[in-house]
Amino acid sequence: MRRRGAHFAMIDDCLTSANRIGFVLPRVSFDLHSHSTASDGVLAPHELVARAAARGVSALALTDHDTVQGVAEAQAAAQVAGIRLVNGVEISVSWLGRTVHIVGLNVDTDNAPLLAGLATVRSGRVERARKMADSLAAVGIGAAFEGAAVYATNLEMIGRTHFARFLVNSGRVGSMPSVFKRFLVPGKPGYVKHEWASLSEAVGWIVGAGGEAVIAHPGRYDMGRVRMNELLGEFRALGGTAIEVVCGSHTTGHVPVFADYAAAFGLKASTGSDFHAPGEGGRDFGRLQALPPRCVPIWQDWV
Ligand code: AMP
Ligand code: MN
Ligand code: MN
Ligand code: MN
């Protein structure tokens, strides 16, 4: 039964690629969520593009946290690699006391209000990181700020991933997933509550820069149905238009759940690996499942 379903999904992919007179065009493989050294990825933008292209991605979005600094380099590399690069960003948001991430796609990376907004979101990171280091020192882990800073190419973007790499590479914790169980999350050493952008600011900056706002990895938020409905309703009202249905941190069980939310709220569906680093957990390029056929892909109207 599962095999049959997969087979039909494949045929459906081919049909959506067929033009009216029946030629089957090469299928575009979209990956609309990834990180470079401009935020907390380990590959420089040009290396990231080369890896994505080598693994069959033909339309990639660079969506660094709270910055578009890597996009120009990625655009140049994409021209060389012969793939499409979508200008993107992933904005950190505080919503009802939780952290939610909003991806912006096809943003104008020269838009002044967007750039000013992102600068304000980044501005608190170093002070937060100092407090995270204090919290780790209290459980006997010293010099964590300096340790994390080694992994931050761009110090103003220092964040939890850099601390996590320090904890793993100094032998204190076995793997990245276990860091985020034992440290750096609410109630655990190294977690510091932080006020990011508001949902309305983030969606406003993205839409104001000509982009489309997307709810990132909804399956990662520990929200029941009531809260998720509230989030999606507010997001839609503010001008948000899409939600990640397939993404690196979603299980196969999440996919139909968020396809249903997309349909219920009239949101388009996006897909992205959220790639950060080779071998660091999460999904690598070129391994995402297809969107369920009932989804309206965010790229439907892209030319
Ligand atoms: P920050 O913006 O500094 O709070 O860092 C958030 C980043 O930490 C995310 O973008 C991920 O890269 C990473 N992260 C958060 N939770 C996890 C997790 N459970 N496993 C792996 N990485 C995580
Ligand atoms: Mn990250
Ligand atoms: Mn995220
Ligand atoms: Mn991300």
Side-chain angles (χ1 to χ4, degrees), residues 50-116:
R51 185 180 185 92
R55 290 175 175 251
V57 174
S58 44
L60 174 73
L62 177 63
T63 56
D64 276 307
H65 299 287
D66 310 322
T67 182
V68 291
Q69 201 188 299
V71 169
E73 181 185 317
Q75 278 293 1
Q79 283 219 340
V80 173
I83 70 168
R84 175 174 183 162
L85 195 282
V86 174
N87 294 356
V89 67
E90 181 177 17
I91 304 182
S92 313
V93 161
S94 296
W95 182 79
L96 298 187
R98 306 155 190 269
T99 299
V100 167
H101 286 173
I102 305 296
V103 161
L105 297 177
N106 285 314
V107 289
D108 169 7
T109 54
D110 293 324
N111 180 269
L114 171 68
L115 295 177

Side-chain angles (χ1 to χ4, degrees), residues 40 65 161 276:
D40 60 354
H65 299 287
T161 311
H276 283 73

Side-chain angles (χ1 to χ4, degrees), residues 148-172:
V150 168
Y151 299 100
T153 308
N154 180 7
L155 189 64
E156 72 167 341
M157 274 312 303
I158 190 168
R160 289 190 292 161
T161 311
H162 306 113
F163 279 84
R165 290 192 186 121
F166 160 69
L167 291 170
V168 171
N169 295 338
S170 61
R172 288 175 174 87

